[in-house]
Amino acid sequence: MLLPVNVTFGAVLAVLLVCAATVAAFARLRPPREIVTAGVRAAVQLGAVSLVIGWVVRAVPLLLAFLLMMYAVAVRTAGRRVTRNGTWWWAAVPIAAGVVPVVAALLLTGLVPVKGIALIPVTGILIGGALTATVLGGRRALDELETRHGEVEAGLALGLPERDARLEVAREAAADALLPGLDQTRTVGLVTLPGAFVGMLLGGASPVEAGAVQLFVLVALMAVQGVAVASVLELIARGRLHRRS
């Protein structure tokens, strides 16, 4: 076992969580309570999921229900990070647009079987990537539109449609959401050995098999995140997703 679940494990986690909260508070980055709450939630949720997964993998309907729950939580989380008004639910579009085609292709080609033990982690990774891209792309685009509102007005004065004027201002900022995924892909094996690769090795796979799985995950994530950012940018340019009261 890589990490024995015992008292020492819990103590080290607690110390790391306190350190994270202390640094965030000292540097005035985020409220320390937010850091602690996130850590505690992660522990509770992972414990619950560890128990539930063993149950849902036994039947396809339960598996699909679990995947829908993951999607719904991702939509809620991403939407509320981007905006606090009633348009947050539009975050469902970029996440689905990025994840559904990729998962469908994997199932149709047989690369991933309709089994919870394979489908849940793969889909979870893709949904998580789409969530991150939607949040970063959406927040950066809306922040840029607020900061450079005068440039949007100038574009409108020159005769540009509102969508085009917004895109000219927000596109470059939204594109920054792709940088973490691009950097991770560029430096894989040189700077880090990501989770899928390490997990496969610990599970007994050969280094070549582990590398193939990790390459697939990274490339699939770039596709998912590209579609998610493009979709959330289009929604913001069309005024569907906004911060107005």
Side-chain angles (χ1 to χ4, degrees), residues 30-104:
R30 303 295 300 181
R33 180 179 178 182
E34 185 175 328
I35 305 295
V36 173
T37 300
V40 173
R41 281 188 59 175
V44 173
Q45 290 165 190
L46 283 173
V49 167
S50 298
L51 298 174
V52 170
I53 285 180
W55 177 55
V56 301
V57 297
R58 300 173 185 173
V60 172
L62 294 176
L63 170 60
L64 295 178
F66 187 78
L67 294 177
L68 285 174
M69 183 202 70
M70 293 170 65
Y71 170 69
V73 172
V75 170
R76 173 75 177 181
T77 302
R80 299 302 284 177
R81 281 292 186 187
V82 174
T83 181
R84 291 290 179 178
N85 63 28
T87 64
W88 66 266
W89 63 270
W90 278 101
V93 174
I95 294 177
V99 173
V100 172
V102 175
V103 173

Side-chain angles (χ1 to χ4, degrees), residues 127-139 174 177-178 221 224-226 228-229 232:
I127 290 177
L131 184 158
T132 300
T134 299
V135 171
L136 293 178
R139 287 175 66 92
L178 299 178
L221 274 175
V224 167
Q225 292 180 332
V229 171
V232 75

Side-chain angles (χ1 to χ4, degrees), residues 156-208:
L156 294 175
L158 291 173
L160 285 177
E162 185 171 2
R163 169 187 173 274
D164 294 346
R166 288 170 169 267
L167 281 176
E168 287 297 320
V169 171
R171 181 183 285 111
E172 186 174 350
D176 286 347
L178 299 178
L179 291 178
L182 288 173
D183 288 342
Q184 183 183 27
T185 304
R186 287 170 178 161
T187 61
V188 65
L190 300 176
V191 178
T192 61
L193 294 177
F197 183 84
V198 175
M200 289 288 291
L201 288 179
L202 294 175
S206 70
V208 173

